[in-house]
Amino acid sequence: MRHEFPKNWIVSPDPFQNAFLKSLDPADFAAIRGHLKAVELREGASLIELGRTVVWAHLPLTAVVSLVVELEAGERIEVALVGPDSILGTFGVLGEPVALVHAVVLVPGAALLIEAARLRALAQQSAAFRDNLMRHSQALFVQAQQSVGCNASHTVEARLARWLLRVRDLSGRDRFKLTQELMAEMIGVRRNSVSFVAHALQQANIIRFSRGHIEIINVAELNRATCECYRAVKLQYKRLGLSTGEEPGA
């Protein structure tokens, strides 16, 4: 698919690092390209808050964003991840412009920003654009329902392996800044449970962690440690015709 750029438009950073933008029809991309703004997303930054109006949609280029639900006691549990494979804010474009989850930057990096209202207007005009948004919205739902089933039924080791592989796919790297506290929070377990499993994975030379950093050193073995949920999400993404993210050195 070929996209044309005006001569005075600087393609920096490359918008087609984002799979959603890359998949758009040239006419649909042309309708929004001049409204895309490059931003750097900082680790831990809150992009969307539950119950607030969704004003901006984010299209990660190298950043990864965690969608979490927050419980009354203060715990947070992740339901989905959005990275260069997709768009954050579809629920504010296709339906009521009110956030249904909290969105926090997990892996810092570059992204493109656009007003949700502009996407909403284009979705009303273009059936192809609306269908594309729908498929990405369905993909988030797939992630969310699989996460619920996984967290309810599978071991801490399988859940942690699934989550690390997903972060790896989206970030395009094998080493990230992730504390054990954060990992425990994201998969809904106690920190000591993650500490025990992470230590076992390190002893098996599958991962390496130190001072808030974690590195995947044996992808094949980490794949063996995970459950069917990791592959199930990939299969559903492929069924929807969507990218599942980069897989460095797989």
Side-chain angles (χ1 to χ4, degrees):
M1 183 179 296
R2 184 181 178 186
H3 296 275
E4 298 292 340
F5 295 89
K7 292 181 180 178
N8 62 349
W9 198 69
I10 301 174
V11 190
S12 179
D14 179 8
F16 302 135
Q17 288 178 272
N18 181 273
F20 176 81
L21 290 175
K22 189 175 181 179
S23 69
L24 294 181
D25 290 341
D28 288 338
F29 179 73
I32 63 172
R33 65 187 175 192
H35 304 289
L36 296 168
K37 301 176 182 180
V39 294
E40 283 291 325
L41 302 181
R42 301 187 311 275
E43 178 188 351
S46 178
L47 304 183
I48 295 176
E49 294 185 16
L50 176 66
R52 297 287 184 88
T53 299
V54 179
V55 178
W56 299 95
H58 294 77
L59 297 127
L61 302 177
T62 58
V64 180
V65 181
S66 178
L67 305 187
V68 300
V69 294
E70 298 183 344
L71 307 180
E72 286 187 358
E75 301 98 331
R76 298 190 304 172
I77 301 176
E78 184 183 276
V79 294
L81 283 169
V82 177
D85 65 325
S86 194
I87 175 173
L88 174 65
T90 55
F91 39 77
V93 175
L94 293 169
E96 288 294 320
V98 176
L100 304 177
V101 293
H102 192 69
V104 181
V105 178
L106 181 71
V107 178
L112 292 171
L113 198 63
I114 188 168
E115 290 175 302
R118 292 193 182 278
L119 297 184
R120 199 175 303 120
L122 182 56
Q124 292 170 354
Q125 299 167 8
S126 169
F129 185 76
R130 186 168 59 252
D131 288 346
N132 214 344
L133 282 172
M134 282 295 298
R135 287 187 296 117
H136 281 266
S137 184
Q138 287 176 312
L140 284 181
F141 178 72
V142 164
Q143 275 198 73
Q145 67 178 5
Q146 201 73 46
S147 293
V148 169
C150 186
N151 290 344
S153 303
H154 295 145
T155 65
V156 174
E157 180 184 68
R159 290 151 66 179
L160 181 61
R162 166 186 63 80
W163 189 76
L164 288 173
L165 286 169
R166 180 69 178 148
V167 174
R168 176 182 184 269
D169 287 348
L170 294 180
S171 67
R173 54 182 104 156
D174 291 313
R175 192 171 190 271
F176 349 94
K177 181 182 177 184
L178 296 171
T179 64
Q180 291 184 23
E181 288 87 351
L182 178 62
M183 290 188 287
E185 192 175 49
M186 293 298 98
I187 64 173
V189 298
R190 295 184 180 278
R191 183 194 179 283
N192 59 353
S193 297
V194 164
S195 180
F196 177 82
V197 168
H199 181 73
L201 291 174
Q202 180 164 262
Q203 289 294 102
N205 293 315
I206 297 174
I207 66 170
R208 183 183 298 119
F209 65 90
S210 175
R211 297 181 180 178
H213 290 81
I214 187 163
E215 181 180 6
I216 299 172
I217 55 179
N218 192 325
V219 179
E221 287 300 320
L222 193 61
N223 263 289
R224 291 188 182 94
T226 193
C227 52
E228 74 268 19
C229 295
Y230 175 65
R231 290 174 286 276
V233 169
K234 279 183 168 290
L235 285 173
Q236 289 297 325
Y237 267 60
K238 289 178 181 178
R239 182 184 65 80
L240 289 166
L242 303 179
S243 164
T244 54
E246 292 294 323
E247 298 182 28

